[in-house]
Amino acid sequence: MTAVIQAPEAPAAPPETKRSGIGWEQVRQAVPGAVRRLSPRHLWHNPVMLIVWAGAVLTTAIAVIEPFAGGPGTSGGTQVPVAFTAIIAVWLWLTVLFANLAEAIAEGRGRAQADSLRATRTSTTAQRVHAYDADADAPAERARTAAVASSDLRLGDHVVVTAGELIPGDGDVVWGVASVDESAITGESAPVIRESGGDRSAVTGGTRVLSDRIVVRITSKPGETFVDRMISLVEGAARQKTPNEIALDILLASLSIVFVLVALTLNPIASYAASPVSLAVLIALLVCLIPTTIGALLSAIGIAGMDRLVQRGVLAMSGRAVEAAGDVTTLLLDKTGTITYGNRRATDVVPLAGVTREDLLRAAALSSLADPTPEGQSIVELARAEGMTLDARTPGDVVPFTAETRMSGLDRPDGTRIRKGAGSAVRAWLAAEGAPLSEADAQALGAATDAIASSGGTPLVVAIAAPGAPARALGVVHLKDVVKEGLTERFAELRAMGIRTVMITGDNPLTAAAIAKEAGVDDYLAEATPEQKLALIRKEQEGGSLVAMTGDGTNDAPALAQADVGVAMHSGTSAAKEAGNMVDLDSDPTKLIDIVRIGKQLLITRGALTTFSIANDVAKYFAIIPAMFMGVFPGLGVLNVMGLHSPASAVLSAVIFNALVIVALIPLALKGVRYRPVAASQLLGRNLLVYGLGGLVAPFIGIWLLDLVVRLIPGF
């Protein structure tokens, strides 16, 4: 069946795939969600911000009571302004709100895409097969169908979908071939071919068939389709914390508990020195000492990492997979379609003695005019590129390729017969025609085929039998699995990251070695079976490596499930998509390299902002500790290196800076720290220099500037 591409009928708008910066509209839409998150039921999973929330509640209560209790009084031997506690309470609430805003913006960035995906879930009418007519010629014509709502389809049902109709549910094509518009899911406007019996058989509910007719077996239950899972994931509803995040949460909670104990012991010590500290100041001290910056941004960083994958057309089924991608040390890539273009192309011809290059190329091209395979069409393209004029209507009977003959060709009306195929098959055909190869031709043909095979190519022998002349071999066509441009540089970049690349192929070792050398991979596995792929992954994991691989076929499913990062192609089989923990909506296997980069960027961003947060807290000590006690212990004034105006202005400036720095870092948390493939020691050095030193310096400047403003408030 020939797939004729037609224009789609009002396709759904593609999802947004590229975003830059944070607009005011995004902030406006996120504010209501941030306010709703002020509930402790939402904050319990973030212990740092839960402590800030509790401090805000307590400070608010104190601010309400103080006017009836004679005002705030003194703190650390210094008079506290009347509005001090109320202002502290406001900024503590803003600190919690800003933390919620970061998470709300991160989750909101996926809602536009989720809305466009929901548009594809409209109930459609499906032609469900209920019986077959055994006398009809084709399965789609034999099917007796009944119209039902797509919501009534069940797992295992068969439906017939024709041109212009929406595919009613996720499934596999079991008969036919058609072009399908998947723009509503992938954002790509170009239609794709889906056909039965291969790794391009999976179809998604809500996509539109543009040509021909196919029979689809439904592979999902209502409400459990791929689109339903996508909506849940891009909205963040199904996102679970990764082990790294959980460990960091435990660390932050531990630090918070330590500082709670510190804050609780300060007031007895101060009271003993006849200089009690107000509860509002103690709460401010606690909030500034605990790592609020990273506590506020941690969830947003994780959500943004998954969102960056969605922007590049990759759906991560879990945050754990994104994080694991950042630690990958071994990358397994299929040769076909990943390292090479997948379709072998004719690049040259080698004529035998007494045969001109033009005669050989013309004969090969004539036998390929009706050959629909990419290899056959590449021979025609090579001939035309060399200036030959070929009439696509050349008469004759096409001899299709079969596994039995291992040849294809053309029988022309004048009796001329052309054959091209495997060397042994063509030799057998010549012998059957009574014209076996001479010893000289056999040696020349063997040398040419061996040279092509050793270079990683595939040789096709061409022979001709014309009326009144003996059959004879003309020469060899060189088919080459062409390595994609730029891959050598990308593999070198991965090597700089410390990642080992392994090519997996079903080719013989000779061909595999040649392709591996040309592509620049570190190793290869030839004649690979599903069992061998699985064994290789387990061996790497037993050696302490984290392994990523990509695949699209059912035979890849075991390896995808075993790999730490398994990227299934959206165009692949349902088994492959179920086994992997990521799905590439664009079905571009080389995207695995980008996935690794995004994973590393996620880990680096988290590490950088954690470094900044801890260094940031150190600087605040120099603002608050002197402010609390230098009224009683004047010697502490030497620690007031910023020259802050008063204890009250110092505490308030530190609290305000603590809140504003969260807002300032939201764009960086969402965009991610830029990743460069350098050694770990260089990365650590840069991290400490930029974010460690920056975390120390920024508060000194920020708190000093805020103090200049705060001191203008009467009473401060």
Side-chain angles (χ1 to χ4, degrees), residues 427-440:
R427 285 191 183 94
W429 180 76
L430 288 171
E433 293 290 322
L437 286 173
S438 66
E439 184 176 349

PDB file of all heavy atoms in Angstrom, residues 427-440:
ATOM      1  N   ARG A 427      25.663 -14.829  -8.182  1.00  0.00           N
ATOM      2  CA  ARG A 427      26.489 -15.898  -8.760  1.00  0.00           C
ATOM      3  C   ARG A 427      25.639 -17.121  -9.077  1.00  0.00           C
ATOM      4  O   ARG A 427      25.786 -17.748 -10.141  1.00  0.00           O
ATOM      5  CB  ARG A 427      27.610 -16.280  -7.789  1.00  0.00           C
ATOM      6  CG  ARG A 427      28.757 -15.283  -7.700  1.00  0.00           C
ATOM      7  CD  ARG A 427      29.930 -15.887  -6.921  1.00  0.00           C
ATOM      8  NE  ARG A 427      31.033 -14.958  -6.752  1.00  0.00           N
ATOM      9  CZ  ARG A 427      31.203 -14.176  -5.692  1.00  0.00           C
ATOM     10  NH1 ARG A 427      30.342 -14.228  -4.691  1.00  0.00           N
ATOM     11  NH2 ARG A 427      32.236 -13.349  -5.626  1.00  0.00           N
ATOM     12  N   ALA A 428      24.738 -17.453  -8.144  1.00  0.00           N
ATOM     13  CA  ALA A 428      23.863 -18.613  -8.369  1.00  0.00           C
ATOM     14  C   ALA A 428      22.938 -18.357  -9.554  1.00  0.00           C
ATOM     15  O   ALA A 428      22.671 -19.266 -10.353  1.00  0.00           O
ATOM     16  CB  ALA A 428      23.060 -18.899  -7.109  1.00  0.00           C
ATOM     17  N   TRP A 429      22.469 -17.120  -9.713  1.00  0.00           N
ATOM     18  CA  TRP A 429      21.588 -16.797 -10.847  1.00  0.00           C
ATOM     19  C   TRP A 429      22.349 -16.904 -12.157  1.00  0.00           C
ATOM     20  O   TRP A 429      21.819 -17.440 -13.147  1.00  0.00           O
ATOM     21  CB  TRP A 429      21.043 -15.382 -10.658  1.00  0.00           C
ATOM     22  CG  TRP A 429      20.126 -14.930 -11.766  1.00  0.00           C
ATOM     23  CD1 TRP A 429      18.836 -15.297 -11.965  1.00  0.00           C
ATOM     24  CD2 TRP A 429      20.450 -14.038 -12.841  1.00  0.00           C
ATOM     25  NE1 TRP A 429      18.316 -14.693 -13.074  1.00  0.00           N
ATOM     26  CE2 TRP A 429      19.298 -13.907 -13.638  1.00  0.00           C
ATOM     27  CE3 TRP A 429      21.598 -13.337 -13.203  1.00  0.00           C
ATOM     28  CZ2 TRP A 429      19.261 -13.105 -14.775  1.00  0.00           C
ATOM     29  CZ3 TRP A 429      21.548 -12.532 -14.327  1.00  0.00           C
ATOM     30  CH2 TRP A 429      20.399 -12.416 -15.107  1.00  0.00           C
ATOM     31  N   LEU A 430      23.572 -16.414 -12.179  1.00  0.00           N
ATOM     32  CA  LEU A 430      24.381 -16.514 -13.400  1.00  0.00           C
ATOM     33  C   LEU A 430      24.642 -17.973 -13.759  1.00  0.00           C
ATOM     34  O   LEU A 430      24.586 -18.356 -14.942  1.00  0.00           O
ATOM     35  CB  LEU A 430      25.709 -15.776 -13.196  1.00  0.00           C
ATOM     36  CG  LEU A 430      25.642 -14.235 -13.167  1.00  0.00           C
ATOM     37  CD1 LEU A 430      26.985 -13.661 -12.738  1.00  0.00           C
ATOM     38  CD2 LEU A 430      25.250 -13.688 -14.554  1.00  0.00           C
ATOM     39  N   ALA A 431      24.908 -18.779 -12.753  1.00  0.00           N
ATOM     40  CA  ALA A 431      25.139 -20.204 -13.013  1.00  0.00           C
ATOM     41  C   ALA A 431      23.884 -20.846 -13.578  1.00  0.00           C
ATOM     42  O   ALA A 431      23.956 -21.685 -14.498  1.00  0.00           O
ATOM     43  CB  ALA A 431      25.578 -20.903 -11.726  1.00  0.00           C
ATOM     44  N   ALA A 432      22.713 -20.450 -13.043  1.00  0.00           N
ATOM     45  CA  ALA A 432      21.454 -20.999 -13.547  1.00  0.00           C
ATOM     46  C   ALA A 432      21.182 -20.547 -14.973  1.00  0.00           C
ATOM     47  O   ALA A 432      20.518 -21.253 -15.749  1.00  0.00           O
ATOM     48  CB  ALA A 432      20.307 -20.573 -12.634  1.00  0.00           C
ATOM     49  N   GLU A 433      21.727 -19.404 -15.354  1.00  0.00           N
ATOM     50  CA  GLU A 433      21.573 -18.898 -16.713  1.00  0.00           C
ATOM     51  C   GLU A 433      22.599 -19.506 -17.661  1.00  0.00           C
ATOM     52  O   GLU A 433      22.635 -19.170 -18.851  1.00  0.00           O
ATOM     53  CB  GLU A 433      21.720 -17.373 -16.714  1.00  0.00           C
ATOM     54  CG  GLU A 433      20.608 -16.627 -16.006  1.00  0.00           C
ATOM     55  CD  GLU A 433      19.295 -16.708 -16.774  1.00  0.00           C
ATOM     56  OE1 GLU A 433      19.322 -16.646 -18.021  1.00  0.00           O
ATOM     57  OE2 GLU A 433      18.239 -16.853 -16.139  1.00  0.00           O
ATOM     58  N   GLY A 434      23.441 -20.368 -17.138  1.00  0.00           N
ATOM     59  CA  GLY A 434      24.461 -21.009 -17.973  1.00  0.00           C
ATOM     60  C   GLY A 434      25.654 -20.124 -18.242  1.00  0.00           C
ATOM     61  O   GLY A 434      26.368 -20.335 -19.236  1.00  0.00           O
ATOM     62  N   ALA A 435      25.887 -19.124 -17.408  1.00  0.00           N
ATOM     63  CA  ALA A 435      27.011 -18.204 -17.618  1.00  0.00           C
ATOM     64  C   ALA A 435      27.743 -17.967 -16.306  1.00  0.00           C
ATOM     65  O   ALA A 435      27.733 -16.851 -15.773  1.00  0.00           O
ATOM     66  CB  ALA A 435      26.516 -16.884 -18.212  1.00  0.00           C
ATOM     67  N   PRO A 436      28.358 -18.995 -15.756  1.00  0.00           N
ATOM     68  CA  PRO A 436      29.078 -18.811 -14.488  1.00  0.00           C
ATOM     69  C   PRO A 436      30.246 -17.844 -14.672  1.00  0.00           C
ATOM     70  O   PRO A 436      30.770 -17.657 -15.771  1.00  0.00           O
ATOM     71  CB  PRO A 436      29.561 -20.222 -14.154  1.00  0.00           C
ATOM     72  CG  PRO A 436      29.613 -20.923 -15.468  1.00  0.00           C
ATOM     73  CD  PRO A 436      28.498 -20.361 -16.293  1.00  0.00           C
ATOM     74  N   LEU A 437      30.641 -17.222 -13.576  1.00  0.00           N
ATOM     75  CA  LEU A 437      31.735 -16.255 -13.608  1.00  0.00           C
ATOM     76  C   LEU A 437      33.051 -16.927 -13.987  1.00  0.00           C
ATOM     77  O   LEU A 437      33.338 -18.049 -13.564  1.00  0.00           O
ATOM     78  CB  LEU A 437      31.903 -15.598 -12.239  1.00  0.00           C
ATOM     79  CG  LEU A 437      30.842 -14.559 -11.816  1.00  0.00           C
ATOM     80  CD1 LEU A 437      31.078 -14.161 -10.362  1.00  0.00           C
ATOM     81  CD2 LEU A 437      30.898 -13.333 -12.713  1.00  0.00           C
ATOM     82  N   SER A 438      33.839 -16.209 -14.807  1.00  0.00           N
ATOM     83  CA  SER A 438      35.188 -16.688 -15.088  1.00  0.00           C
ATOM     84  C   SER A 438      36.033 -16.542 -13.835  1.00  0.00           C
ATOM     85  O   SER A 438      35.674 -15.814 -12.904  1.00  0.00           O
ATOM     86  CB  SER A 438      35.807 -15.889 -16.238  1.00  0.00           C
ATOM     87  OG  SER A 438      35.999 -14.530 -15.840  1.00  0.00           O
ATOM     88  N   GLU A 439      37.187 -17.206 -13.817  1.00  0.00           N
ATOM     89  CA  GLU A 439      38.051 -17.132 -12.646  1.00  0.00           C
ATOM     90  C   GLU A 439      38.516 -15.706 -12.404  1.00  0.00           C
ATOM     91  O   GLU A 439      38.570 -15.241 -11.259  1.00  0.00           O
ATOM     92  CB  GLU A 439      39.255 -18.052 -12.834  1.00  0.00           C
ATOM     93  CG  GLU A 439      40.165 -18.106 -11.621  1.00  0.00           C
ATOM     94  CD  GLU A 439      41.293 -19.100 -11.779  1.00  0.00           C
ATOM     95  OE1 GLU A 439      41.259 -19.908 -12.740  1.00  0.00           O
ATOM     96  OE2 GLU A 439      42.217 -19.068 -10.951  1.00  0.00           O
ATOM     97  N   ALA A 440      38.826 -14.977 -13.488  1.00  0.00           N
ATOM     98  CA  ALA A 440      39.298 -13.595 -13.338  1.00  0.00           C
ATOM     99  C   ALA A 440      38.192 -12.698 -12.782  1.00  0.00           C
ATOM    100  O   ALA A 440      38.415 -11.883 -11.878  1.00  0.00           O
ATOM    101  CB  ALA A 440      39.787 -13.061 -14.670  1.00  0.00           C
TER     102      ALA A 440
END
